[in-house]
Amino acid sequence: MKNFTSELLTKPQKYGAMCFAGRLLTEVPNAIKTQLPQKSCAIDFTSKTSRMLAPTQADSVLCCSDLALPNSPAYDTTVLKNSFSASIRRFLAVTLLLLAVFSGPLTAQQHTVEIGMYLIDIARLDVKESEFFADFYIWYKAEPAAAWTPANIEFMNGTVESATEPQLATDTVGRSVWTQRIKGRFRGRFRLQAYPFDSQTLPISIEDSEYQTDKIVFQPDSASSQNFSKWIEPELNVPDWQMAGATCTVDVHEYQTDFGLGNQKTSHYSRLTFKLDLKRLFMPHLIKFILPLIIIAGMAYMVFYINANEFEAQCGICVTALLSAVALHMAQADALPAVGYMLMSDKIFILFYVVIFSALVQTVVNNSYAKRRRFDMAIYLDKLFRVWYVVVLVVGNILVFLLS
């Protein structure tokens, strides 16, 4: 370094060095500056011969060691060479900067999170409010590289009433596993067109509130049984319902919004839904719904065996039967939600209304024949309605059942 500094001061042309007094290029490295004579702080190469500058003549020591002297033969070639090298360096620097900025989105890797459940209990199934209470264990499995936790898990169709803290463990293949117990009320979309012979599905839907499908995708736990009925406690019992199986589906839910972020028109999130299928038991509704209605219709049927002269008795029976059917219908409607379509039960009640009202009309007509001493016609109508009444009820109910 000492020899280099000495020659730089006495023979600058040997190294093609050019230094200026002023603020034109970059400072001389400290390793060289410290070896310069104390009486001067810069070398002036503005002329062909170098001269030492006193400290008062230079603001600072500036150096560019890569350029040839202006009058040297190699000056033009050196300038072009160094200019091209500087352009290449700037181009590489900009390229590296762009790669650093955009490498995240361009190389983002999609990770899979596996979810498993074990349903312990279903209670307080409210068809009118379309709600049910569920108690279950749930676990999440993710690769460590995913850098994912269940902190942002959302249950899209319910409210969690209580939840234990997720317990972190590691499975046999090195994945992180979080397990917790959830209790809450969830909502379903119950379709009641076939009531009281309907089947319903109780869903539990899960999404991640932060990561979209480009980063996180849910899948059912591959290590658990793919017979999703085994995800349910065998002793689980839902009053008035029979379990008909279970399914687990995964889809991409699209939101027509960017939630105020302003970077896209839609958002896509992976959604896993566990569904418990239930079928309404026939016997409870046979006792509470069908049997009372059959008794009411049978009461009205008795008027065909009463003498036509007993008009008050016949009329009273028919009116009582009709009002009883209406009261039963209203009591049943109070236990169901207000819907914009007709239920199977509504169609059955309407059929019974028509038949019971026809019995009342037949009673009035028969009484008219009896007052005119047309007992033959009264007897004929009684016989006709004894058959017609039963046939209409049986055939009508079959058609309602098949068409609903």
Side-chain angles (χ1 to χ4, degrees), residues 27-232:
E27 282 195 86
V28 174
N30 292 330
I32 298 177
K33 186 190 297 185
T34 55
Q35 300 181 52
L36 293 174
Q38 296 297 321
K39 64 180 181 179
S40 65
C41 63
I43 304 172
D44 183 10
F45 286 141
T46 55
S47 61
K48 291 183 181 180
T49 60
S50 61
R51 62 188 180 89
M52 305 299 294
L53 297 179
T56 58
Q57 292 179 285
D59 295 326
S60 61
V61 180
L62 302 169
C63 176
C64 180
S65 60
D66 293 333
L67 299 177
L69 287 175
N71 293 334
S72 65
Y75 175 76
D76 294 336
T77 303
T78 304
V79 170
L80 292 176
K81 177 181 177 182
N82 291 333
S83 177
F84 179 74
S85 298
S87 299
I88 291 297
R89 287 194 296 270
R90 286 195 295 271
F91 173 76
L92 291 177
V94 172
T95 302
L96 291 175
L97 179 61
L98 292 176
L99 288 176
V101 172
F102 294 105
S103 60
L106 292 175
T107 60
Q109 183 178 357
Q110 185 185 74
H111 295 280
T112 298
V113 175
E114 296 187 358
I115 299 178
M117 295 178 59
Y118 190 78
L119 191 59
I120 300 173
D121 189 27
I122 294 289
R124 302 196 295 273
L125 175 55
D126 189 342
V127 176
K128 185 174 183 178
E129 299 296 333
S130 298
E131 289 186 345
F132 61 95
F133 173 85
D135 181 5
F136 57 92
Y137 284 101
I138 185 169
W139 57 89
Y140 318 90
K141 297 181 179 180
E143 296 288 345
W148 181 90
T149 68
N152 297 313
I153 282 292
E154 286 186 320
F155 291 90
M156 307 308 297
N157 65 319
T159 302
V160 175
E161 296 180 353
S162 66
T164 61
E165 287 295 326
Q167 300 298 315
L168 178 59
T170 304
D171 66 2
T172 55
V173 295
R175 293 180 299 182
S176 299
V177 181
W178 294 267
T179 305
Q180 63 180 149
R181 184 172 181 174
I182 302 291
K183 295 180 181 180
R185 294 198 62 83
F186 299 87
R187 295 177 297 275
R189 297 179 179 178
F190 298 157
R191 306 296 297 177
L192 300 170
Q193 286 91 338
Y195 179 86
F197 305 102
D198 56 322
S199 298
Q200 301 296 341
T201 298
L202 309 184
I204 299 176
S205 298
I206 304 168
E207 282 186 15
D208 189 291
S209 62
E210 180 177 356
Y211 297 115
Q212 298 191 42
T213 52
D214 59 337
K215 294 184 179 179
I216 294 296
V217 173
F218 291 147
Q219 290 295 335
D221 184 16
S222 58
S224 301
S225 173
Q226 297 307 298
N227 178 8
F228 299 108
S229 296
K230 294 185 178 180
W231 290 22
I232 305 171

Side-chain angles (χ1 to χ4, degrees), residues 303-323:
V303 299
F304 304 134
Y305 293 92
I306 299 177
N307 190 291
N309 291 322
E310 302 292 336
F311 175 71
E312 291 79 6
Q314 290 178 314
C315 187
I317 292 174
C318 289
V319 171
T320 301
L322 189 59
L323 293 177

Side-chain angles (χ1 to χ4, degrees), residues 272-301:
L272 181 140
T273 304
F274 177 79
K275 301 176 183 178
L276 174 63
D277 299 323
L278 299 177
K279 183 177 181 181
R280 195 182 298 271
L281 292 175
F282 175 73
M283 188 58 64
H285 285 269
L286 173 65
I287 297 173
K288 294 185 292 186
F289 164 66
I290 299 175
L291 187 59
L293 198 55
I294 292 176
I295 292 175
I296 293 172
M299 184 171 62
Y301 182 73

